[in-house]
């Protein structure tokens, strides 16, 4: 995500309650099945920050980990352009 820019995430659960938690950002959001959830945040420091599921959600709970990567605008834009899907032409 780009630093100092609001990010909006739409989260859904298809099975059980999950809890999206980024300890260093001081944010935790429950995701309840059948109830789409929007989380807005603004990262103010570059780096790599762990994402954890903070709700005991089943046998794969311990494996539900990832990382938020916060970059300055130019590095983020370079990553975005490299990973963007090509536009579909209607012609």
């Amino acid at each position: 995500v780009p630093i100092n820019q609001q990010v909006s995430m739409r989260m859904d659960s298809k099975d059980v309650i999950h809890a999206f938690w980024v300890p260093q950002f001081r944010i935790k959001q429950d995701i309840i099945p059948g109830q789409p959830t929007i989380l807005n945040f603004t990262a103010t420091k570059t780096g790599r920050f762990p994402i954890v599921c903070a709700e005991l959600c089943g046998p794969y709970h311990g494996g539900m980990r990832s990382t938020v990567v916060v970059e300055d605008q130019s590095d983020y834009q370079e990553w975005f352009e490299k990973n963007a899907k090509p536009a579909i032409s209607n012609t």
Side-chain angles (χ1 to χ4, degrees), residues 50-68:
I51 301 170
V52 180
C53 180
E55 186 75 34
L56 186 54
C57 58
Y60 189 63
H61 171 72
M64 295 188 73
R65 298 183 181 273
S66 193
T67 304
V68 176

Side-chain angles (χ1 to χ4, degrees), residues 12-18 30-37:
D12 295 299
S13 173
K14 307 242 184 287
D15 50 10
V16 297
I17 297 173
H18 295 279
D30 289 343
I31 303 103
I32 299 167
Q35 184 176 7
T37 302

Side-chain angles (χ1 to χ4, degrees), residues 22-33:
V22 183
Q24 288 82 354
F25 291 3
R26 312 285 192 279
I27 58 173
K28 179 180 170 283
Q29 177 64 56
D30 289 343
I31 303 103
I32 299 167

Side-chain angles (χ1 to χ4, degrees), residues 9 23 45 66:
M9 294 178 20
K45 182 178 179 182
S66 193

